[in-house]
Amino acid sequence: MARSIKYCFALTGLYLSCSAVVYAATTQITANISDGSCEVTIPNGTLTFDNKRASEFSSAMTTVELHHLNVELSCAGTAGIAPVLNVTGESAGLADARLFRSASSEAKGVGFMLKQGTLTDLPGFYTANGTVAPGDSVSISQDNGMSTQPFTVGLVRGKDEAIPSAGAISGKISFTFAYP
């Protein structure tokens, strides 16, 4: 609190002079505004599928192998904000844009399909609910603290694709933490 003291002097009978001494204090005020943070990790970040023969992809929408993929989140200060995972990746050279496939892939007609959850039904994988396509956003199951978001990746023949040609296939899937 500032206080002041006034000094007044009478110089003549007609003139009064006053002087004030003021004491002041200043404080520095700072704040940080944050929506929280979330570290995203993938413990099994490289998935390697077994070698397959083209004849194993007997018909369109055939799935020949599945791998589980866990995305781990360590979030702080995000309770009640409802963050999401943005999923990105390339979908090159296929009619079904929901499949992940790098343009540098040699095999034609096949790609990787991503589904939310831990799926095990090979014949029903392609048509099962929970497909996550490149460019989709996925709600996370817990919005604060540690959590694991389970996904399943399937090696599939696309819906409108011919029997695959021989060659290597690759794809990248990126998961980015974001607020909607």
Side-chain angles (χ1 to χ4, degrees):
M1 176 168 22
R3 71 180 171 168
S4 64
I5 301 172
K6 287 189 179 183
Y7 298 98
C8 297
F9 301 98
L11 297 176
T12 64
L14 301 174
Y15 181 71
L16 182 66
S17 173
C18 292
S19 173
V21 177
V22 177
Y23 298 96
T26 303
T27 184
Q28 180 73 24
I29 301 172
T30 62
N32 237 353
I33 308 301
S34 171
D35 287 330
S37 64
C38 206
E39 181 180 339
V40 181
T41 58
I42 302 174
N44 55 337
T46 300
L47 301 179
T48 303
F49 286 76
D50 295 335
N51 290 334
K52 301 295 177 187
R53 292 182 318 280
S55 62
E56 292 181 67
F57 297 88
S58 58
S59 61
M61 303 182 349
T62 299
T63 305
V64 296
E65 189 175 344
L66 300 175
H67 281 267
H68 297 119
L69 177 69
N70 289 322
V71 178
E72 294 183 354
L73 302 174
S74 176
C75 300
T78 58
I81 300 176
V84 297
L85 285 175
N86 288 331
V87 181
T88 57
E90 195 174 3
S91 181
L94 296 169
D96 189 344
R98 300 175 304 160
L99 303 182
F100 293 85
R101 181 181 180 277
S102 294
S104 61
S105 296
E106 298 163 352
K108 306 290 185 212
V110 294
F112 299 101
M113 181 174 269
L114 180 67
K115 302 270 187 180
Q116 280 186 280
T118 304
L119 284 73
T120 57
D121 179 28
L122 202 59
F125 179 79
Y126 197 98
T127 57
N129 290 332
T131 301
V132 181
D136 283 353
S137 292
V138 177
S139 297
I140 64 174
S141 61
Q142 180 179 335
D143 64 0
N144 204 26
M146 302 286 292
S147 66
T148 299
Q149 310 300 311
F151 293 91
T152 304
V153 179
L155 177 57
V156 302
R157 176 179 164 187
K159 179 180 177 186
D160 298 318
E161 303 294 338
I163 293 178
S165 62
I169 179 172
S170 63
K172 290 182 182 178
I173 303 173
S174 296
F175 297 89
T176 307
F177 175 80
Y179 294 102

